[in-house]
Amino acid sequence: QVQLVESGGGSVQAGGSVRLSCAASGRTFSSYGMGWFRQAPGAEREFVCGITEDGARAFYADSVKGRFTISRDNAKNTVALQMNSLKPEDTAVYYCARRGDAMLGYSYAAAYDYWGQGTQVTVSS
């Protein structure tokens, strides 16, 4: 069983920064791509970004490109999301997830088999 635990959420003013972290249990962390998704109230869960197993490639939703950066540390079984220049529309619960299906692209929620419990990020104007 794999457990993913997010931390680092909170409240920030527009233009500010927040760093999220996701700690994964298990010994096969480096074998899987990872992703971050978010879900705002009344909205569907949406892809934010993803990173390959070795951290060599990252993928971003257009809405966060240039503002958010995903990274991972396979020695520590962690994946991080650095969010800069935050906007009120970035307000959501943020989830990290493990990409268990390598046949589906990173932006598809169906590609992920394990999810964290989520952490709230609130951006005020």
Side-chain angles (χ1 to χ4, degrees), residues 8-9 16-20 38 48 67-69 81-86 90 94 121:
S17 298
V18 170
R19 183 177 178 86
L20 304 182
R38 66 186 181 187
V48 176
R67 300 188 298 122
F68 290 12
T69 303
L81 178 61
Q82 178 66 43
M83 304 187 292
N84 299 329
S85 302
L86 283 162
D90 293 318
Y94 284 73
V121 174

mmCIF file of all heavy atoms in Angstrom, residues 8-9 16-20 38 48 67-69 81-86 90 94 121:
data_model
loop_
_atom_site.group_PDB
_atom_site.id
_atom_site.type_symbol
_atom_site.label_atom_id
_atom_site.label_comp_id
_atom_site.label_asym_id
_atom_site.label_seq_id
_atom_site.Cartn_x
_atom_site.Cartn_y
_atom_site.Cartn_z
ATOM 1 N N GLY A 8 2.066 21.827 3.592
ATOM 2 C CA GLY A 8 2.531 23.125 3.124
ATOM 3 C C GLY A 8 1.455 24.066 2.648
ATOM 4 O O GLY A 8 1.746 25.204 2.274
ATOM 5 N N GLY A 9 0.212 23.648 2.641
ATOM 6 C CA GLY A 9 -0.860 24.543 2.206
ATOM 7 C C GLY A 9 -1.081 25.660 3.215
ATOM 8 O O GLY A 9 -0.519 25.671 4.303
ATOM 9 N N GLY A 16 1.859 36.255 -3.866
ATOM 10 C CA GLY A 16 2.731 35.550 -2.948
ATOM 11 C C GLY A 16 3.123 34.169 -3.441
ATOM 12 O O GLY A 16 2.789 33.769 -4.559
ATOM 13 N N SER A 17 3.804 33.447 -2.563
ATOM 14 C CA SER A 17 4.322 32.116 -2.910
ATOM 15 C C SER A 17 3.972 31.109 -1.829
ATOM 16 O O SER A 17 3.858 31.450 -0.654
ATOM 17 C CB SER A 17 5.842 32.164 -3.067
ATOM 18 O OG SER A 17 6.223 33.021 -4.109
ATOM 19 N N VAL A 18 3.819 29.874 -2.268
ATOM 20 C CA VAL A 18 3.588 28.749 -1.363
ATOM 21 C C VAL A 18 4.340 27.558 -1.920
ATOM 22 O O VAL A 18 4.397 27.361 -3.143
ATOM 23 C CB VAL A 18 2.085 28.413 -1.243
ATOM 24 C CG1 VAL A 18 1.877 27.103 -0.501
ATOM 25 C CG2 VAL A 18 1.337 29.532 -0.507
ATOM 26 N N ARG A 19 4.890 26.765 -1.028
ATOM 27 C CA ARG A 19 5.572 25.530 -1.444
ATOM 28 C C ARG A 19 4.860 24.356 -0.811
ATOM 29 O O ARG A 19 4.732 24.277 0.414
ATOM 30 C CB ARG A 19 7.040 25.547 -1.028
ATOM 31 C CG ARG A 19 7.827 24.321 -1.502
ATOM 32 C CD ARG A 19 9.290 24.452 -1.118
ATOM 33 N NE ARG A 19 10.080 23.298 -1.509
ATOM 34 C CZ ARG A 19 10.630 23.152 -2.712
ATOM 35 N NH1 ARG A 19 10.465 24.087 -3.625
ATOM 36 N NH2 ARG A 19 11.344 22.073 -2.992
ATOM 37 N N LEU A 20 4.406 23.441 -1.653
ATOM 38 C CA LEU A 20 3.767 22.214 -1.195
ATOM 39 C C LEU A 20 4.764 21.065 -1.283
ATOM 40 O O LEU A 20 5.620 21.041 -2.172
ATOM 41 C CB LEU A 20 2.547 21.888 -2.045
ATOM 42 C CG LEU A 20 1.464 22.964 -2.153
ATOM 43 C CD1 LEU A 20 0.306 22.448 -2.995
ATOM 44 C CD2 LEU A 20 0.993 23.415 -0.799
ATOM 45 N N ARG A 38 -5.536 19.835 -8.767
ATOM 46 C CA ARG A 38 -6.223 20.714 -7.825
ATOM 47 C C ARG A 38 -7.722 20.696 -8.106
ATOM 48 O O ARG A 38 -8.162 20.395 -9.228
ATOM 49 C CB ARG A 38 -5.685 22.137 -7.897
ATOM 50 C CG ARG A 38 -5.963 22.854 -9.200
ATOM 51 C CD ARG A 38 -5.251 24.212 -9.218
ATOM 52 N NE ARG A 38 -5.500 24.957 -10.445
ATOM 53 C CZ ARG A 38 -4.899 26.099 -10.757
ATOM 54 N NH1 ARG A 38 -3.995 26.636 -9.919
ATOM 55 N NH2 ARG A 38 -5.186 26.724 -11.887
ATOM 56 N N VAL A 48 -2.465 20.009 -12.780
ATOM 57 C CA VAL A 48 -1.605 21.167 -12.567
ATOM 58 C C VAL A 48 -0.239 20.941 -13.211
ATOM 59 O O VAL A 48 0.209 21.721 -14.037
ATOM 60 C CB VAL A 48 -1.433 21.469 -11.061
ATOM 61 C CG1 VAL A 48 -0.456 22.621 -10.848
ATOM 62 C CG2 VAL A 48 -2.781 21.774 -10.420
ATOM 63 N N ARG A 67 4.855 29.971 -13.596
ATOM 64 C CA ARG A 67 4.638 30.388 -12.197
ATOM 65 C C ARG A 67 4.895 29.244 -11.220
ATOM 66 O O ARG A 67 5.343 29.469 -10.099
ATOM 67 C CB ARG A 67 3.202 30.885 -12.013
ATOM 68 C CG ARG A 67 2.840 32.072 -12.881
ATOM 69 C CD ARG A 67 1.473 32.636 -12.512
ATOM 70 N NE ARG A 67 0.395 31.683 -12.713
ATOM 71 C CZ ARG A 67 -0.436 31.279 -11.753
ATOM 72 N NH1 ARG A 67 -0.320 31.746 -10.526
ATOM 73 N NH2 ARG A 67 -1.406 30.412 -12.039
ATOM 74 N N PHE A 68 4.579 28.032 -11.633
ATOM 75 C CA PHE A 68 4.722 26.862 -10.769
ATOM 76 C C PHE A 68 5.901 26.012 -11.236
ATOM 77 O O PHE A 68 6.176 25.930 -12.443
ATOM 78 C CB PHE A 68 3.467 26.007 -10.806
ATOM 79 C CG PHE A 68 2.248 26.607 -10.144
ATOM 80 C CD1 PHE A 68 2.206 27.940 -9.760
ATOM 81 C CD2 PHE A 68 1.133 25.812 -9.903
ATOM 82 C CE1 PHE A 68 1.081 28.473 -9.152
ATOM 83 C CE2 PHE A 68 0.004 26.329 -9.294
ATOM 84 C CZ PHE A 68 -0.026 27.663 -8.927
ATOM 85 N N THR A 69 6.552 25.343 -10.288
ATOM 86 C CA THR A 69 7.650 24.431 -10.601
ATOM 87 C C THR A 69 7.508 23.163 -9.781
ATOM 88 O O THR A 69 7.396 23.225 -8.553
ATOM 89 C CB THR A 69 9.012 25.070 -10.302
ATOM 90 O OG1 THR A 69 9.146 26.298 -11.039
ATOM 91 C CG2 THR A 69 10.141 24.135 -10.706
ATOM 92 N N LEU A 81 5.965 21.156 -4.985
ATOM 93 C CA LEU A 81 5.357 22.095 -5.924
ATOM 94 C C LEU A 81 5.601 23.503 -5.404
ATOM 95 O O LEU A 81 5.047 23.886 -4.371
ATOM 96 C CB LEU A 81 3.864 21.832 -6.069
ATOM 97 C CG LEU A 81 3.106 22.786 -6.988
ATOM 98 C CD1 LEU A 81 3.660 22.721 -8.412
ATOM 99 C CD2 LEU A 81 1.612 22.460 -6.999
ATOM 100 N N GLN A 82 6.452 24.242 -6.096
ATOM 101 C CA GLN A 82 6.715 25.633 -5.757
ATOM 102 C C GLN A 82 5.774 26.509 -6.569
ATOM 103 O O GLN A 82 5.802 26.457 -7.807
ATOM 104 C CB GLN A 82 8.162 25.989 -6.057
ATOM 105 C CG GLN A 82 8.524 27.445 -5.776
ATOM 106 C CD GLN A 82 8.460 27.781 -4.311
ATOM 107 O OE1 GLN A 82 8.902 27.016 -3.453
ATOM 108 N NE2 GLN A 82 7.912 28.950 -3.991
ATOM 109 N N MET A 83 4.966 27.277 -5.875
ATOM 110 C CA MET A 83 3.963 28.115 -6.541
ATOM 111 C C MET A 83 4.270 29.584 -6.281
ATOM 112 O O MET A 83 4.256 30.023 -5.130
ATOM 113 C CB MET A 83 2.564 27.761 -6.027
ATOM 114 C CG MET A 83 2.226 26.282 -6.190
ATOM 115 S SD MET A 83 0.515 25.899 -5.767
ATOM 116 C CE MET A 83 0.542 26.183 -4.009
ATOM 117 N N ASN A 84 4.559 30.306 -7.328
ATOM 118 C CA ASN A 84 4.883 31.724 -7.239
ATOM 119 C C ASN A 84 3.828 32.549 -7.970
ATOM 120 O O ASN A 84 3.049 32.018 -8.761
ATOM 121 C CB ASN A 84 6.255 31.993 -7.839
ATOM 122 C CG ASN A 84 7.373 31.263 -7.129
ATOM 123 O OD1 ASN A 84 7.302 31.024 -5.919
ATOM 124 N ND2 ASN A 84 8.410 30.899 -7.869
ATOM 125 N N SER A 85 3.838 33.830 -7.704
ATOM 126 C CA SER A 85 2.902 34.762 -8.367
ATOM 127 C C SER A 85 1.474 34.232 -8.306
ATOM 128 O O SER A 85 0.756 34.209 -9.310
ATOM 129 C CB SER A 85 3.321 34.981 -9.827
ATOM 130 O OG SER A 85 4.635 35.475 -9.911
ATOM 131 N N LEU A 86 1.079 33.837 -7.138
ATOM 132 C CA LEU A 86 -0.237 33.209 -6.979
ATOM 133 C C LEU A 86 -1.363 34.192 -7.249
ATOM 134 O O LEU A 86 -1.258 35.395 -6.969
ATOM 135 C CB LEU A 86 -0.363 32.619 -5.571
ATOM 136 C CG LEU A 86 0.384 31.292 -5.387
ATOM 137 C CD1 LEU A 86 0.603 30.999 -3.916
ATOM 138 C CD2 LEU A 86 -0.365 30.168 -6.070
ATOM 139 N N ASP A 90 -6.067 30.456 -8.212
ATOM 140 C CA ASP A 90 -5.293 29.275 -7.834
ATOM 141 C C ASP A 90 -5.834 28.654 -6.543
ATOM 142 O O ASP A 90 -5.364 27.588 -6.132
ATOM 143 C CB ASP A 90 -3.824 29.650 -7.620
ATOM 144 C CG ASP A 90 -3.135 30.079 -8.901
ATOM 145 O OD1 ASP A 90 -3.354 29.442 -9.943
ATOM 146 O OD2 ASP A 90 -2.365 31.078 -8.847
ATOM 147 N N TYR A 94 -5.166 21.043 -3.237
ATOM 148 C CA TYR A 94 -4.123 20.490 -4.097
ATOM 149 C C TYR A 94 -3.814 19.057 -3.671
ATOM 150 O O TYR A 94 -3.628 18.781 -2.478
ATOM 151 C CB TYR A 94 -2.869 21.345 -4.028
ATOM 152 C CG TYR A 94 -3.009 22.622 -4.825
ATOM 153 C CD1 TYR A 94 -3.801 23.670 -4.374
ATOM 154 C CD2 TYR A 94 -2.360 22.774 -6.053
ATOM 155 C CE1 TYR A 94 -3.956 24.833 -5.113
ATOM 156 C CE2 TYR A 94 -2.495 23.937 -6.798
ATOM 157 C CZ TYR A 94 -3.296 24.953 -6.320
ATOM 158 O OH TYR A 94 -3.447 26.101 -7.057
ATOM 159 N N VAL A 121 -5.053 25.455 -0.419
ATOM 160 C CA VAL A 121 -4.327 26.689 -0.706
ATOM 161 C C VAL A 121 -5.367 27.764 -1.012
ATOM 162 O O VAL A 121 -6.203 27.583 -1.894
ATOM 163 C CB VAL A 121 -3.368 26.534 -1.897
ATOM 164 C CG1 VAL A 121 -2.746 27.890 -2.262
ATOM 165 C CG2 VAL A 121 -2.284 25.522 -1.576
#
